[in-house]
Structures are given as C-alpha cells and as structure tokens.
Amino acid sequence: MENRENMGWNEVLEGGLAPYTELAAPEEDWLDSLNEAQREAVTTTEGYVRVIAGAGTGKTRALAYRFAYLVNVLGILPGHILCATFTNKAAGEMRRRIRRLIGDADTGLINTFHGLCVAVLQADGRALQLPKSFLVLDNGDIDAMLAVVYEERGLTLRDRTYAQARDKIEMLKTRDRTDYFHDLIAMGADGLKRRYAEADTVDDIIFYGYLLQQKKSFGLDYNDLIILTLHLFDTCPEVRRSWQERMEYVMVDEFQDIDGLQYALMEVLAGHHSNLFVVGDPDQTIYTWRGANVRYLTEFDAHFPGTRTIMMLQNYRSVPQVLAAANSLIARNRQRIAKDLVARRTDAGPAVWYHGADSPAEAAWIAEGVRALHSAGVAYGDIAVLYRAHYASRAVEEAFIREQISHTVYSGVPFFARREIKDALSYLRLIAAKNNLDFRRVANVPKRNLGRRRMKYLEEAAEREGTTLYEALEAHVGDDIFKGTGAADFLKLVETFSTTYAERPVSAVLADLLQASGYERLLRTEGSQERLDNLAELTQSVYEYETTCGEEVTLEHYLAHAALLTGADAVDARADKVKLMTIHAAKGLEFPHVFLSSMSEGVLPSRKTETREAMEEERRLAFVAMTRARDGLYLTEAEGFNHKGSPRFPSRFLLEIGPSLLLRSPMPPEYLAQAREAQAAADLRLAERAAAAQFTVGERVAHPVFGQGTVEGVDMTKRAYMVTFDDLETSRAISFRAPLQKTE
C-alpha cells in the first residue's frame, strides 16, 4: 500500500467498515457445517491425534463438536471424556457449547489442569493423608503466609519481595527440591518446625516457613496440585488405574503452552486407552518463561509413533489484510511448523502502521481513532489496545482520560484479589475448614476487639497446645482477656454456618453469611458502594457457577474454582469500554478492532531479548496480538528516546512485514535506514552471544570437579549455564568460560 502524506482517520476508514459476521453454519447443522479439516479432527477419535490449528481456525468449535460426536454418535459417556483447558473462561465456554450440542447438563470433565487435579485430590487425596477440605492457595494467600514468616523471623522486603519469594518457592518445588512434598505430606508439624527453626539462609527460612504455614492451613498452591496428583498416581496404582480407565478419551487445548508437569499428567491419564487428542499452534507459543515447551507439540509424533497430524488453516476471524500482515511476519521464524493461514472472509478492513513524532502524538492518534471508529458505529467494547508491558499503557490512558473515552485497564487488582472479595471468600473457607489463614484474615473484620494483643495470645496458646487458632479460641474464649470482645459471637457464627452449609446452595450461604457476620453492614457504614457492588457481583458469580456447572455444586467445589480464577477470566466482553491489556492477557481473546501500541525496538521486542530463541518468542507475541483483530488492525509506534537516551526506532517486526501489506504513514528515508542499521547491529550481538554458548538445554556435560550433569537453562545475560549435576542436590550456575565437556 502506498504511504499517505497525512495518516488521517478519514483516509484509514475511507473504504468503510465491514462488520464481523460468522461464516460457519449454525451449530445445529452438525458435521455439514464443518470444513474438511475440522470434520477430520472431529471424526478421528482413536489413537494419538495432533491438530495444528492456526489462530481463528475454529479449534474451539472442533473440540466441542468432537466431544458431541463422541457422545451423540459413538455413545461414549460424557463423564469418561476429559477436555483440559488453560483457563476457567475457556472451560466455561466449552461447557456451554457442548451442552447445546448434546442436550445434557453432564459435560464430563471439562476443566483446567489445576481444576482436574483438585477433583482427583478431593476424591482420592486421602491416600496421601490430605483432608478433603484442603485449601487451594492463590498469590494473595501465599503472601499472607509469607507475612507471618517474615514477622516471625524478622525478614523484610529488602531481603526478598513477596513476588521474589513466590518465584523462589516455585523454582525450589519444580527444579531444585522436587521431593519437597514428602516434607509437606509425611513430615509432622513438629518436624517442619525444626526444619524452619534450623534454617539459616533467607531462602531456607522462606521455604520451610511457607511449608509449615501450608501444613497448618492444609493449603496447596498451584504447583502442589499437579505434583501431588502425579505422586498419587505413582504411589497408588489402584487410584491411577481407576482414573486411567475412566478417561477413555483425553483432549487437550492450547497444547503449545503445556509444561513438563502438565505433559506428564496427560501422558499418565491417556496411558490405558491411548486416546490422546491435542490441539495447538507453535506460532502462538508465548509462555516459555513460565515453563511451556513448544517441542511437546512439534515433536509429539516422535514421542507417540503412529500419530495422525491434521492441519487446520482456514481462518474465519480476520479480514484478509490483517491475516496477510500476520502471515508475513511469522514466516520469519524458524522454530515452527510451516503454514500460511487462509482467510475465509472476503470483506476488506484496514491494516495500518502509524508513526508518531513522539509518544503523546501516538497516543493522541489512537484516541482520535477510537473516536472515529465509535462515530462510525463501532462500540467502545469492540476495541482493544494491546501492549507488550503495563508501563506502555501510560500515554494512552492519559489520552483517553483527557478525551473522556470510556475504558478499562486489565492490569489493576483482579476481581478475586480485591479486599472485599478475599474477605468474603475467607468467611466461606473458614466455615468449611476453620484454618489459620482465614481465621487471621476475618476474625476481627468487622471489629470484634480481637486485635494484635489477643491474636498473639491465641498464637501462643495454639503453638503450646498444638491446635489451630480457631480451636485455641474455642478452648480459651472464657479467659479474662476475651471478656468484652465479640469472640463468643464469632465462634457461634462460624459453628452455626459450619453445621448447615452443606444442605444449602452456596449462593444462599454466602448472602446470609455476609449479613450475619456484619460484614455487609460494615461496608454500608463506610459508604463503600463500589465494594458492595463487588460483593453483589460475587454472589451473582456463585449463582451462575451453580447453574452452569452441570453438577451438584458443593462449597468445596466452588472455593477451589474461585482460587483457580485468573486475570484472563475476568475480562468482560460485555462492558462497553475500550479494553487496555497486555498481549499475554489477550491470548485466547478476539476483538473487532485492535490497536497494538508502542511497537518500538526495545519494547516489542523487549530490550531483555538475549537469544535468537527469545527473539522468535517475541515475534510470536506480536503475531498473537495481530491475530486478535477481526476487522481492523492498527500498529503504532513513535520517535523519541529510550530509557538510556539512545534514539527510539520502529520495531523490527514492522520492518519485517511486507511493505505492500500495510497502509503506512510517511517516514524520512534516512530514519528508516538508521532503524535498519540498529536492527542489524542488534542481530550481530545476538549472533555473538549464540556463538559463545556451546551447549543447549538438555545436553549432557562433564565438569572437572562436579562430574556429569544436564544443562537445564542458558542465561545469556550472565553468560552462564544452569546445570543439574548428578552428584549434587541443587543446580549450579556455570560460566561459559568453565572447561565443560559434552558427553553422550
């Protein structure tokens, strides 16, 4: 497309806007509504099947239809089909689709990986001495436990922030101390106390202090859920066999994002019937930083001989202009399964590259564009502004506030992490399990004169007597220190609801509990209407869960469900507000119009990109962002200077897209030449770093002192390998300069 002297919105929209229309036939038409590749995916039921499904090719539709085909045509029981997803939102959408197709409330096990593990552990965790009422811990819960540890051992946030502590705990559990669960399960509280008391490093204090808090509250975090499920299957053959026999067909969505633990879980569950169906797209692998490994998808056929591979390439989502630009970009990657998505839509829509003089000009152009789209009949809720990192949203937010454009930012406190929601859920968890974590949170909310002095008294009594804080209060409520407090009323409240909640709907229990506890009255007294509205929304969410879950919902079921909700689950497609979010948060979503802002070198791709592999992931990230767009795609960047004072240039990804595929604003030829020179210099640095690293992840090496080991990671910034040595308990960072030798 030719450059325009003036990238005004009249020029961008001169061809008009074609509203998005669904091309596929209604779901009632069944198999006739599917294209050839979709139909093959649906009807190929036996053995190992790999579906490479590009963005917008109807993979969710194919999964739902395959489930319905198994039930309606083959006669398979819904409860014998597992469909694993990555988000509760995806699982909910899958359930709704399937329910319409099979006409049955029973939708089998359609769940997230962690939700599935909750179901397994609730059913059979007694074999690991787990109580059925164990808690599922989210980050807020973990931070509350860490706060106790920090206070007890005099740690501060200078030693480790809570985020750093959580990351360290995860690393220890999944890599360095993978047998930790023996301490958590088999070791008594006294043994853990000794480990905790003897710990003399910050990491050990945090780790064993956290395990002790988990033990006291019967709490499991997300890593525990999968690790303990695998341990259960490994140590209890009869339990493993029971679940394997039940899982006659296993289907996994978004398989490119799977990590080692999830892969092992799926392999075990499919180990009896050998019917494993996986769907994914290597071009959308954007979570390697949290353990995802695209090789599980690309090498699936090597691991499972006889695998049938099906390519789904017909894109129903995006206009041809958007798809052509996205195809042009992702073709630059090497680590992929070569393919081009084919647009089924024939209507036209804009694909634009806007270059601003500075960041305010870029943000102003985006705001102007939102206004123009809205004037042309596009709802605010049909527009999304995406960016690589949260900080990149500042200028756009300021422009929207100035122009009074209705918007919402999906980067603040998630709904289920808000104070009033955490408080309400703590009340529910307390009546179910009477654990220390939730006792600490709500015993004095509203105020019951159970402040720090009296809580310390209870802590000491519980420690001395080997009880929970709730049991300590029961035993000592008559002590003088609790006279004139609301302790007795609090015990009565908890006990009353504890003995009656199992007989009532969770939504009714919640509503009555908020009223009886005085919590609702507290918020009314504070005049916190927004918090009251949030509580009303929580109650509504419980009701919706009860009516759509397809099974009798217990309080324990709902609490586990709520603990597993993520930020992605909170995106409300119905809100008529422009949505601002990171690209990672937008994964799995789609919008009629997408602005991808701050497409500058050092932002997207990130300035932290140190390897060719990391650069490919950044390119995949841009591809994912572009393919969120249905009707219009607007790529924006601006001149200026980066945080170190060097000139800012357009992202290499903009330069890699075929020049004829984007409507471009004018740029001086010398500026583009400088941008290409800067990119070439950066590529040279990547090549030099790659040459310095002699070994790759997974290779066996020998060290002159430590002996043989396996390369678990390569840190280009530190120029070091992370090596797990056979004869050492923990991993070591080994410099590129060390005399390592490759072994077979």
Side-chain angles (χ1 to χ4, degrees):
M1 298 180 185
E2 63 180 20
N3 295 346
R4 303 296 180 93
E5 287 301 317
N6 183 4
M7 181 67 78
W9 276 93
N10 289 334
E11 287 77 20
V12 172
L13 302 179
E14 65 182 3
L17 295 175
Y20 173 75
T21 54
E22 176 65 60
L23 294 181
E27 292 186 337
E28 290 76 13
D29 291 348
W30 256 92
L31 296 179
D32 291 341
S33 70
L34 303 176
N35 64 41
E36 184 178 348
Q38 290 172 332
R39 193 178 302 113
E40 185 181 1
V42 168
T43 58
T44 306
T45 60
E46 306 308 302
Y48 294 95
V49 183
R50 174 179 64 176
V51 178
I52 305 300
T57 57
K59 66 177 180 65
T60 303
R61 185 182 182 85
L63 280 164
Y65 272 51
R66 190 175 195 269
F67 192 110
Y69 183 83
L70 290 169
V71 174
N72 292 350
V73 179
L74 302 189
I76 304 299
L77 296 175
H80 290 198
I81 305 171
L82 168 65
C83 185
T85 67
F86 272 84
T87 68
N88 282 282
K89 189 171 185 175
E93 174 61 23
M94 193 73 68
R95 290 190 199 101
R96 285 188 287 273
R97 290 190 181 217
I98 290 170
R99 193 171 292 115
R100 290 197 298 268
L101 290 167
I102 68 175
D104 192 338
D106 185 1
T107 51
L109 276 173
I110 302 173
N111 218 328
T112 63
F113 292 98
H114 296 106
L116 167 67
C117 291
V118 168
V120 172
L121 294 174
Q122 285 182 338
D124 295 305
R126 61 186 179 280
L128 300 179
Q129 300 177 332
L130 279 179
K132 194 171 182 178
S133 58
F134 65 84
L135 302 179
V136 180
L137 307 174
D138 61 18
N139 282 347
D141 298 326
I142 296 171
D143 289 353
M145 290 179 169
L146 290 173
V148 175
V149 176
Y150 278 40
E151 183 176 354
E152 288 178 345
R153 298 297 296 269
L155 300 181
T156 71
L157 297 181
R158 293 180 181 176
D159 297 301
R160 294 279 190 283
T161 65
Y162 288 166
Q164 290 170 335
R166 291 197 305 269
D167 289 345
K168 186 64 178 180
I169 290 168
E170 180 174 10
M171 185 183 72
L172 290 171
K173 285 186 173 184
T174 59
R175 195 185 72 185
D176 296 340
R177 300 181 186 177
T178 55
D179 61 347
Y180 77 93
F181 55 84
H182 294 297
D183 293 341
L184 183 61
I185 295 174
M187 187 179 290
D190 289 341
L192 272 176
K193 284 178 188 175
R194 282 194 300 273
R195 288 278 184 92
Y196 176 43
E198 293 167 359
D200 56 1
T201 66
V202 171
D203 287 343
D204 279 352
I205 290 170
I206 289 172
F207 186 64
Y208 287 109
Y210 173 63
L211 290 186
L212 179 59
Q213 292 300 317
Q214 283 191 274
K215 186 82 171 180
K216 287 182 175 181
S217 296
F218 305 111
L220 301 180
D221 58 36
Y222 290 4
N223 287 313
D224 299 329
L225 294 174
I226 297 183
I227 290 170
L228 291 183
T229 299
L230 288 170
H231 177 60
L232 174 65
F233 287 159
D234 186 52
T235 55
C236 300
E238 68 282 2
V239 173
R240 179 181 69 245
R241 188 72 173 186
S242 172
W243 283 93
Q244 286 178 326
E245 290 178 351
R246 177 181 173 183
M247 300 296 97
E248 295 179 8
Y249 295 89
V250 177
M251 301 189 291
V252 186
D253 194 11
E254 304 286 5
F255 201 75
Q256 76 280 346
D257 293 330
I258 204 165
D259 63 25
L261 289 173
Q262 294 161 345
Y263 184 84
L265 182 64
M266 294 300 100
E267 190 174 22
V268 170
L269 289 172
H272 179 64
H273 296 287
S274 299
N275 291 324
L276 179 58
F277 177 92
V278 303
V279 184
D281 181 9
D283 291 338
Q284 298 188 69
T285 303
I286 61 175
Y287 292 114
T288 59
W289 51 273
R290 71 180 188 194
N293 190 336
V294 70
R295 291 182 176 177
Y296 291 132
L297 179 59
T298 58
E299 300 174 7
F300 187 86
D301 55 341
H303 192 79
F304 299 106
T307 291
R308 183 167 177 177
T309 297
I310 301 167
M311 304 289 286
M312 286 175 46
L313 304 178
Q314 296 188 57
N315 178 285
Y316 293 83
R317 177 185 300 162
S318 305
V319 293
Q321 292 84 349
V322 170
L323 207 57
N327 279 334
S328 175
L329 174 64
I330 200 62
R332 301 279 183 148
N333 270 10
R334 299 176 185 176
Q335 191 177 7
R336 64 190 297 261
I337 296 175
K339 65 181 188 299
D340 273 334
L341 298 179
V342 180
R344 287 293 302 271
R345 294 179 64 183
T346 57
D347 45 343
V352 176
W353 170 4
Y354 175 79
H355 172 75
D358 51 31
S359 292
E362 177 191 0
W365 189 83
I366 294 173
E368 182 187 352
V370 170
R371 285 285 192 207
L373 290 168
H374 191 61
S375 298
V378 178
Y380 284 132
D382 287 340
I383 303 171
V385 180
L386 309 183
Y387 32 80
R388 175 65 176 85
H390 290 308
Y391 69 82
S393 71
R394 180 192 56 78
V396 176
E397 286 185 67
E398 290 177 358
F400 282 7
I401 292 170
R402 187 167 56 251
E403 296 298 324
Q404 297 183 324
I405 293 173
S406 182
H407 66 282
T408 183
V409 182
Y410 290 95
S411 63
V413 180
F415 180 80
F416 281 87
R418 294 170 186 170
R419 188 192 78 192
E420 62 278 10
I421 303 302
K422 293 288 289 182
D423 288 346
L425 292 177
S426 278
Y427 267 110
L428 286 176
R429 298 200 312 187
L430 189 63
I431 67 171
K434 299 178 180 161
N435 64 87
N436 288 354
L437 180 66
D438 296 301
F439 183 94
R440 287 192 185 95
R441 185 174 185 99
V442 299
N444 203 39
V445 181
K447 297 290 186 185
R448 299 185 177 95
N449 272 336
L450 298 175
R452 182 171 296 181
R453 182 171 67 92
R454 292 183 175 92
M455 287 298 293
K456 188 173 187 320
Y457 183 88
L458 285 177
E459 294 272 6
E460 291 172 350
E463 186 74 19
R464 186 174 60 252
E465 297 160 15
T467 66
T468 65
L469 294 175
Y470 184 87
E471 290 167 340
L473 182 59
E474 281 186 310
H476 295 276
V477 68
D479 295 0
D480 289 345
I481 195 173
F482 294 110
K483 290 181 179 178
T485 71
D489 290 338
F490 179 65
L491 289 173
K492 184 179 178 182
L493 172 82
V494 174
E495 203 58 38
T496 299
F497 278 87
S498 294
T499 56
T500 59
Y501 76 81
E503 305 164 5
R504 306 174 61 207
V506 180
S507 53
V509 173
L510 174 61
D512 289 349
L513 185 55
L514 291 174
Q515 184 176 11
S517 66
Y519 191 80
E520 197 172 272
R521 183 170 61 255
L522 168 68
L523 296 188
R524 294 191 188 282
T525 303
E526 292 178 351
S528 304
Q529 188 57 48
E530 182 180 354
R531 298 188 184 280
L532 285 166
D533 291 343
N534 286 337
L535 286 181
E537 182 64 24
L538 176 65
T539 305
Q540 179 64 22
S541 78
V542 177
Y543 176 75
E544 290 176 357
Y545 181 72
E546 289 171 330
T547 56
T548 61
C549 165
E551 59 181 299
E552 185 178 350
V553 178
T554 67
L555 178 58
E556 290 77 13
H557 285 149
Y558 176 75
L559 290 173
H561 165 78
L564 296 173
L565 291 171
T566 66
D569 299 311
V571 177
D572 185 1
R574 300 167 298 177
D576 192 25
K577 297 180 178 181
V578 180
K579 297 168 178 62
L580 278 67
M581 66 184 75
T582 65
I583 302 171
H584 284 98
K587 178 72 162 58
L589 305 176
E590 59 183 75
F591 310 91
H593 295 271
V594 170
F595 291 82
L596 179 52
S597 66
S598 300
M599 283 200 73
S600 299
E601 197 74 5
V603 179
L604 181 63
S606 167
R607 64 178 181 270
K608 298 177 181 179
T609 306
E610 301 283 352
T611 66
R612 289 172 174 172
E613 292 77 15
M615 185 61 73
E616 291 211 351
E617 175 137 351
E618 291 291 298
R619 189 175 288 108
R620 291 193 294 266
L621 195 60
F623 173 80
V624 166
M626 294 168 69
T627 53
R628 300 310 93 197
R630 296 174 181 171
D631 306 327
L633 175 66
Y634 316 92
L635 311 174
T636 70
E637 48 80 28
E639 294 181 47
F641 298 91
N642 65 27
H643 70 295
K644 292 186 177 179
S646 57
R648 191 163 57 207
F649 295 112
S651 167
R652 67 182 60 208
F653 302 148
L654 288 167
L655 300 173
E656 290 173 353
I657 297 171
S660 65
L661 301 178
L662 295 173
L663 177 66
R664 282 184 6 189
S665 51
M667 278 165 282
E670 60 273 15
Y671 179 72
L672 281 177
Q674 291 172 350
R676 296 187 189 281
E677 289 174 5
Q679 178 186 335
D683 286 342
L684 181 61
R685 289 193 296 272
L686 288 181
E688 290 173 347
R689 292 191 182 102
Q694 303 177 46
F695 308 107
T696 60
V697 173
E699 286 190 313
R700 295 283 292 172
V701 294
H703 187 279
V705 176
F706 297 142
Q708 294 194 353
T710 303
V711 178
E712 303 292 349
V714 183
D715 191 326
M716 286 299 184
T717 304
K718 296 179 179 178
R719 295 179 175 269
Y721 307 104
M722 290 303 302
V723 183
T724 300
F725 290 100
D726 300 348
D727 297 329
L728 298 180
E729 293 184 359
T730 59
S731 301
R732 297 289 189 274
I734 304 297
S735 168
F736 286 172
R737 298 188 302 272
L740 293 176
Q741 299 292 324
K742 186 176 181 179
T743 64
E744 297 299 327

